[in-house]
Amino acid sequence: MHKYYLTHLQELESEAIYIIREVVAQFDRPAILFSGGKDSIVVTHLAKKAFWPAKIPMPLIHIDTGHNFPETMEFRDKLVENLGVQLIVGSVQESINKGRAVEESGINASRNELQIVTLLDTIESHKIDAAIGGARRDEEKARAKERFFSHRDEFGQWDPKNQRPELWNIFNGRKRMGEHFRVFPISNWTEMDIWNYILQENIAIPSLYFAHQRNAVYRDNTWLPASEFLQLRDGETIENKLMRFRTLGDITITGGIESDADTLEKIVAEVSATRSTERGNRSDDKRSDTSMEDRKKQGYF
């Protein structure tokens, strides 16, 4: 008698696909929040597998801050074309032009928090009732508090002290008019799981994740990429480094690490040996000890 066992990655994949299918079953207008980073790419790949051979039955939503890596935008457009899915783009610049958001000033200015208004406006205008994201519990302590189905009130806000129980994988998607859910099907995955799955499935990812030569400035224990948006402080100099990025966000806040990992196999080996969190190089998380939770309460990813 043959016995059939699921591997660790197969169990995680099965759980995530079940959650994605549950979203489509329970909600009328779901969407996938797509940043162009590895986690949202994996979620999109899982959605593709969940409904194959049909197309992904929901649009991708990308919040364009105007401060993106060019490589990320090129990858996004190519992926959308290959998948044949709808892409909804929310523009932070349009929010600023309309007076819905106010541009930050100063040497540490960022558009990261401005995404909140644009995201909520995009969700409201397209009547999205469930937004699937690629957040994982191991990334950050605020995200560790999230359930798979994360309820948001009519203002798009999250209350970490008032979440619904999820026993035996039963998910409660009931909501009132104007409310919506954020859904995180890869909550139980780790960074190592993500990279092993990308390697196993041979998933295409932006070149930014692989080691490459780039001009950067060393600031706050990380290498910030040089760009038209980066203001140099006194004494700072631009250096050319062989580096890569463990996580992707705006070019103004995403720090890189010195690395020669130019293949998926080398990345897996590097991640297995590291003892620092991948978001340790994100300057937006260093503004305060509760910066992520504060943003999430307001409607952030």
Side-chain angles (χ1 to χ4, degrees):
M1 178 178 177
H2 293 287
K3 294 184 179 181
Y4 180 72
Y5 297 100
L6 292 178
T7 66
H8 174 64
L9 286 181
Q10 286 173 330
E11 287 185 357
L12 290 174
E13 179 190 66
S14 178
E15 177 184 63
I17 287 176
Y18 168 75
I19 293 168
I20 291 170
R21 288 173 175 166
E22 191 71 12
V23 169
V24 173
Q26 289 198 39
F27 297 96
D28 297 321
R29 295 183 65 86
I32 296 174
L33 299 177
F34 186 82
S35 66
K38 64 184 185 305
D39 299 318
S40 63
I41 292 171
V42 166
V43 169
T44 304
H45 178 81
L46 289 165
K48 177 183 175 182
K49 294 190 75 170
F51 302 104
W52 181 264
K55 292 184 179 180
I56 298 174
M58 64 190 99
L60 305 185
I61 292 179
H62 179 241
I63 303 303
D64 181 6
T65 64
H67 290 176
N68 299 284
F69 285 92
E71 296 93 333
T72 303
M73 303 298 282
E74 292 171 9
F75 181 89
R76 180 202 71 181
D77 294 341
K78 183 177 180 180
L79 180 67
V80 168
E81 181 182 357
N82 290 340
L83 292 175
V85 297
Q86 178 189 1
L87 175 65
I88 297 173
V89 178
S91 171
V92 170
Q93 186 60 56
E94 286 187 13
S95 298
I96 295 172
N97 295 342
K98 293 177 181 178
R100 294 280 296 152
V102 179
E103 185 89 71
E104 290 186 1
S105 59
I107 199 165
N108 292 316
S110 165
R111 287 188 172 184
N112 190 52
E113 194 165 339
L114 274 61
Q115 296 180 76
I116 297 172
V117 170
T118 307
L119 174 61
L120 294 178
D121 286 350
T122 303
I123 287 174
E124 182 178 3
S125 63
H126 291 274
K127 295 180 169 45
I128 303 298
D129 54 3
I132 301 174
R136 309 188 324 269
R137 293 190 177 110
D138 80 317
E139 286 183 279
E140 204 273 340
K141 55 189 177 183
R143 287 182 166 170
K145 299 178 182 180
E146 288 274 22
R147 302 290 169 88
F148 286 114
F149 275 39
S150 180
H151 175 263
R152 302 299 170 104
D153 64 20
E154 62 270 26
F155 301 105
Q157 296 176 332
W158 172 63
D159 183 359
K161 296 181 180 179
N162 184 24
Q163 300 190 74
R164 300 175 181 181
E166 293 178 342
L167 306 176
W168 306 291
N169 282 343
I170 297 175
F171 304 114
N172 182 359
R174 295 184 62 184
K175 59 180 177 54
R176 298 185 180 91
M177 184 177 293
E179 299 175 343
H180 73 279
F181 276 78
R182 306 287 173 83
V183 182
F184 307 106
I186 60 171
S187 287
N188 287 337
W189 297 46
T190 65
E191 182 187 11
M192 194 66 188
D193 294 328
I194 291 291
W195 283 116
N196 277 320
Y197 188 72
I198 290 173
L199 176 61
Q200 171 187 287
E201 299 286 302
N202 194 28
I203 301 173
I205 55 175
S207 59
L208 296 163
Y209 283 113
F210 299 102
H212 58 285
Q213 295 291 151
R214 181 176 288 271
N215 291 332
V217 173
Y218 194 71
R219 179 185 298 176
D220 297 331
N221 298 318
T222 190
W223 288 100
L224 286 178
S227 70
E228 59 183 302
F229 311 111
L230 182 68
Q231 300 181 44
L232 294 181
R233 297 173 177 172
D234 292 340
E236 288 184 335
T237 58
I238 295 177
E239 301 180 49
N240 189 265
K241 289 290 180 179
L242 180 63
M243 58 187 289
R244 73 175 196 88
F245 299 94
R246 290 176 65 187
T247 179
L248 294 183
D250 273 6
I251 197 169
T252 57
I253 60 174
T254 304
I257 59 171
E258 293 185 69
S259 170
D260 61 357
D262 54 3
T263 66
L264 288 174
E265 290 81 2
K266 289 182 180 179
I267 290 175
V268 169
E270 183 180 86
V271 171
S272 67
T274 190
R275 293 296 177 265
S276 60
T277 174
E278 63 191 290
R279 291 192 68 93
N281 293 313
R282 290 285 290 269
S283 63
D284 52 324
D285 289 350
K286 298 179 181 180
R287 293 194 170 191
S288 73
D289 291 338
T290 60
S291 57
M292 174 62 82
E293 183 163 332
D294 292 341
R295 294 197 304 271
K296 286 177 69 64
K297 287 179 180 178
Q298 297 173 48
Y300 191 71
F301 308 135

